[in-house]
């Protein structure tokens, strides 16, 4: 297998507005769903000042540049731009993002801009969230403002980050607002509505003849049956359909395949639910599927599935207390541990083969995909900060193994054009807080100082050489 990445491969770092910016009340920003949720008295943490990227972005982009990082995922905060979600535009919000995007370009760190990374305007959340189809129109109006203002200089756009996480975490696992559990039919409806919003925004972008590319970011969880038993394989198929296939079909096949719908209908029937669609949704899907420029693929982990007919039960390990997670959905499946596969402290199986298999699966099942960016991958870790140094060798090992999986997929013909490590610097983790760190740059939250971790020095060599770097080569 070749050790080199293809010419022009992007070695990037990923962020998201709400997780890095802080400044939630500054310069006319309106509230998003997460402000209300994290400002409840019982919340363990809030988003202020997070990594203070709102003020420190010049320093962060200089660091990125100095460490060989040539791409950054940022997202736009909808309510910095439209404080009430629609209507009046906040010029200070536009000024901030204009300055940020300009600075990215000046530092040679190309911006990959996501329109929506979980931070729905609060009034829309209260009015039914993504179950309310009015939100589709509001999203497209917001996208239009962004395309008009930034479209001549941003060359990579994503409509949404991880629709599955919005649906699953908010309505099945209950660790994102509105924190409902086991509302599987609602989750499927939200996936559909998000796919319509994605398709309509993408079609709008294409009608504007702007000089860039547009896609979507999906989290593609690997799904593996824990045994060869037919019922475990079926559990895998069901979980894969709801988490991956349903939305990939919409994005790349322009509609839902019969085999996918059979699995989704089985899940809906078990949950007394039905999916509501409109005929025009499928026209929008078909048009967008012809035009989509890339898939952003986030990959962290895979799940090992066993058939499960007990009561649905989920416990989210949000504290890094290893071995405490529980996930079983009656009639769909349970995610069980595989003794041969190590896990992080948050119980996420470390399974790079799952990344390879998802890449190959995209190329096989969705051959019109054009290209893939790994838009997030990385390891949550409780970094030790010792005399200004952070030796995060386990993270380097994790990323190395996943980069090897990418190289393997490339060798098999999959067109992967870049890798954005999650995350550039340490950031707020939505349901875990600040002790689950992912960054190349350590953030001391007491004074917001940045410290390059061992992984940052390693990543610099990786980007310079364009190939996997042995640990022994890292000067640290
Ligand atoms: C993805 C999100 C990111 C980020 C990452 C790590 O789902 O797109 O925003 O948070 O996961 O997840 P966590 O912070 O829960 O460990």
């Amino acid at each position: 297998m070749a050790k080199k990445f293809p010419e022009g491969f992007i070695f990037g770092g990923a962020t998201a507005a709400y997780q890095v910016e802080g400044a939630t009340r500054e310069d006319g920003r309106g509230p998003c769903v997460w402000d209300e949720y994290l400002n409840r008295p019982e919340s363990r943490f809030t988003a202020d000042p997070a990594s203070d990227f709102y003020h420190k972005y010049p320093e962060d982009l200089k660091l990125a540049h100095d460490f060989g990082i040539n791409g950054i995922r940022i997202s736009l905060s909808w309510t910095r731009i439209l404080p009430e979600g629609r209507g009046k535009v906040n010029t200070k919000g536009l000024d901030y993002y204009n300055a940020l995007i300009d600075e990215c370009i000046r530092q040679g760190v190309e911006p990959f801009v996501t329109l929506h990374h979980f931070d729905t305007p609060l009034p829309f959340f209260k009015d039914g969230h993504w179950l309310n189809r009015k939100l589709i129109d509001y999203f497209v109006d917001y996208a239009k403002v962004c395309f008009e203002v930034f479209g001549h200089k941003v060359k990579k756009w994503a409509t949404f980050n991880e629709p599955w996480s919005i649906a699953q975490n908010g309505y099945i696992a209950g660790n994102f607002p509105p924190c409902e559990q086991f509302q599987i039919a609602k989750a499927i409806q939200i996936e559909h509505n998000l796919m319509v919003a994605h398709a309509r925004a993408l079609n709008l972008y294409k009608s504007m003849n702007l000089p860039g590319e547009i896609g979507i970011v999906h989290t593609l969880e690997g799904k593996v049956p824990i045994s060869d038993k037919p019922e475990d394989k079926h559990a895998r198929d069901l979980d894969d359909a709801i988490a991956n296939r349903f939305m990939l079909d919409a994005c790349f096949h322009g509609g839902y395949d019969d085999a996918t719908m059979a699995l989704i209908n089985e899940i809906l029937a078990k949950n007394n639910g039905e999916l509501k669609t409109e005929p025009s949704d499928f026209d929008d899907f078909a048009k967008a599927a012809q035009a989509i420029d890339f898939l952003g693929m986030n990959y962290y982990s895979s799940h090992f599935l066993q058939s499960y007919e007990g009561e649905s039960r989920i416990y989210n390990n949000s504290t890094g207390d290893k071995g405490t997670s529980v996930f079983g959905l009656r009639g769909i499946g349970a995610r069980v541990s595989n003794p041969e596969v190590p896990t992080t402290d948050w119980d996420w199986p470390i399974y790079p083969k799952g990344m390879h298999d998802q890449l190959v699966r995209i190329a096989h099942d969705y051959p019109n995909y054009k290209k893939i960016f790994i838009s997030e991958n990385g390891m949550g870790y409780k970094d030790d900060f010792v005399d200004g140094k952070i030796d995060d060798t386990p993270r380097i090992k994790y990323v190395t193994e996943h980069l090897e999986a990418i190289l393997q997929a490339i060798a098999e013909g999959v067109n992967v054009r870049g890798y954005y490590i999650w995350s550039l610097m340490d950031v707020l983790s939505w349901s875990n807080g600040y002790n689950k760190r992912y960054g190349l740059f350590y953030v001391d939250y007491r004074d917001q100082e940045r410290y390059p971790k061992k992984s940052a020095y390693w990543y610099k060599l990786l980007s310079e050489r364009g190939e996997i770097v042995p640990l022994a080569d890292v000067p640290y």
Side-chain angles (χ1 to χ4, degrees):
M1 184 183 74
K3 281 186 80 182
K4 274 235 172 246
F5 287 89
E7 203 54 44
F9 194 85
I10 296 169
F11 291 98
T15 70
Y18 198 70
Q19 293 176 274
V20 293
E21 286 177 2
T24 62
R25 292 188 172 87
E26 236 165 283
D27 291 339
R29 179 185 175 280
C32 80
V33 42
W34 284 90
D35 292 316
E36 187 184 69
Y37 177 63
L38 293 186
N39 290 329
R40 290 167 307 142
E42 65 270 33
S43 175
R44 287 186 286 134
F45 49 86
T46 73
D48 274 304
S51 322
D52 199 23
F53 189 66
Y54 192 72
H55 301 107
K56 291 187 81 94
Y57 71 86
E59 184 184 328
D60 286 320
L61 289 166
K62 165 119 187 20
L63 266 177
H65 167 88
D66 291 350
F67 278 79
I69 293 157
N70 59 1
I72 181 172
R73 267 191 80 202
I74 57 172
S75 74
L76 306 178
S77 153
W78 186 338
T79 55
R80 262 193 215 292
I81 293 172
L82 298 166
E84 286 158 31
R86 64 193 183 117
K88 202 172 147 301
V89 174
N90 176 25
T91 348
K92 287 192 171 161
L94 299 183
D95 291 348
Y96 168 67
Y97 287 117
N98 262 319
L100 168 58
I101 290 164
D102 289 346
E103 186 63 14
C104 291
I105 294 168
R106 207 175 70 79
Q107 290 286 0
V109 185
E110 192 208 10
F112 173 134
V113 176
T114 304
L115 289 168
H116 182 279
H117 196 127
F118 302 162
D119 48 358
T120 301
L122 183 60
F124 300 158
F125 173 73
K126 292 193 178 236
D127 192 23
H129 202 199
W130 290 100
L131 288 164
N132 184 345
R133 285 187 63 115
K134 275 198 286 187
L135 194 36
I136 299 172
D137 297 324
Y138 301 151
F139 176 74
V140 177
D141 292 346
Y142 155 64
K144 185 158 187 273
V145 173
C146 299
F147 296 152
E148 279 170 354
V149 178
F150 312 115
H152 57 287
K153 54 189 175 188
V154 169
K155 304 291 166 53
K156 287 187 177 61
W157 291 95
T159 51
F160 285 95
N161 179 72
E162 299 192 352
W164 172 234
S165 296
I166 300 169
Q168 172 183 248
N169 298 358
Y171 297 86
I172 298 177
N175 57 342
F176 275 21
C179 300
E180 295 181 12
Q181 284 199 315
F182 319 129
Q183 300 302 313
I184 294 169
K186 280 190 189 175
I188 292 173
Q189 187 65 54
I190 283 178
E191 293 183 272
H192 174 78
N193 293 357
L194 286 165
M195 289 306 92
V196 178
H198 152 76
R200 285 184 42 196
L202 188 146
N203 292 335
L204 167 71
Y205 180 81
K206 287 294 173 184
S207 75
M208 292 171 74
N209 288 315
L210 290 161
E213 301 186 318
I214 187 162
I216 188 168
V217 170
H218 281 302
T219 175
L220 294 186
E221 301 166 342
K223 305 290 181 185
V224 186
I226 192 71
S227 81
D228 284 339
K229 289 186 199 154
E231 59 269 33
D232 292 343
K233 288 183 174 168
H234 191 58
R236 184 278 310 273
D237 289 347
L238 292 170
D239 204 358
D240 183 55
I242 190 174
N244 300 325
R245 263 172 88 165
F246 186 57
M247 289 181 292
L248 288 170
D249 281 7
C251 290
F252 292 96
H253 288 170
Y256 305 123
D257 294 2
D258 291 346
T260 308
M261 264 334 282
L263 293 162
I264 294 293
N265 284 332
E266 180 184 333
I267 297 172
L268 284 169
K270 283 174 176 161
N271 289 279
N272 302 316
E274 62 166 332
L275 175 65
K276 293 199 186 72
T277 64
E278 292 182 6
S280 65
D281 297 347
F282 296 93
D283 300 334
D284 293 328
F285 285 171
K287 199 170 167 195
Q290 297 280 326
I292 186 166
D293 294 305
F294 64 82
L295 169 67
M297 169 172 154
N298 292 357
Y299 177 88
Y300 290 89
S301 191
S302 291
H303 299 128
F304 297 91
L305 274 304
Q306 190 169 52
S307 100
Y308 182 71
E309 295 301 335
E311 279 308 304
S312 292
R313 57 201 184 102
I314 292 178
Y315 177 78
N316 300 299
N317 165 9
S318 61
T319 49
D321 207 356
K322 200 168 178 159
T324 56
S325 297
V326 179
F327 195 107
L329 290 176
R330 184 192 200 112
I332 299 185
R335 298 175 187 170
V336 296
S337 68
N338 179 340
E340 284 162 26
V341 173
T343 59
T344 69
D345 284 346
W346 289 263
D347 300 322
W348 293 18
I350 301 176
Y351 192 63
K353 181 176 182 302
M355 177 181 239
H356 163 270
D357 293 352
Q358 286 290 13
L359 286 167
V360 170
R361 175 260 186 104
I362 294 295
H364 183 266
D365 295 352
Y366 305 94
N368 63 329
Y369 74 95
K370 297 192 187 121
K371 59 183 156 185
I372 299 173
F373 296 103
I374 301 302
S375 36
E376 286 181 31
N377 172 248
M379 184 184 177
Y381 187 60
K382 298 169 192 160
D383 289 300
D384 284 326
F385 181 73
V386 183
D387 300 332
K389 288 199 144 194
I390 305 95
D391 182 342
D392 57 346
T393 298
R395 177 174 293 116
I396 299 175
K397 186 165 172 285
Y398 174 102
V399 177
T400 299
E401 289 170 359
H402 286 80
L403 288 171
E404 282 167 354
I406 295 167
L407 281 173
Q408 177 72 38
I410 293 174
E412 291 167 29
V414 186
N415 188 20
V416 187
R417 305 300 308 167
Y419 177 92
Y420 296 78
I421 192 169
W422 184 268
S423 47
L424 181 63
M425 77 297 267
D426 292 333
V427 306
L428 162 73
S429 169
W430 303 96
S431 55
N432 308 287
Y434 292 96
N435 81 326
K436 189 179 190 186
R437 294 173 180 267
Y438 281 92
L440 293 176
F441 303 106
Y442 185 93
V443 175
D444 185 340
Y445 290 108
R446 294 167 303 185
D447 58 9
Q448 291 291 339
E449 280 301 305
R450 271 66 168 152
Y451 298 84
K453 301 179 191 175
K454 185 172 181 177
S455 56
Y457 290 93
W458 171 81
Y459 206 71
K460 183 172 195 284
L461 289 180
L462 167 77
S463 159
E464 282 167 6
R465 296 182 190 172
E467 64 182 34
I468 307 250
V469 175
L471 203 56
D473 289 11
V474 185
Y476 198 75

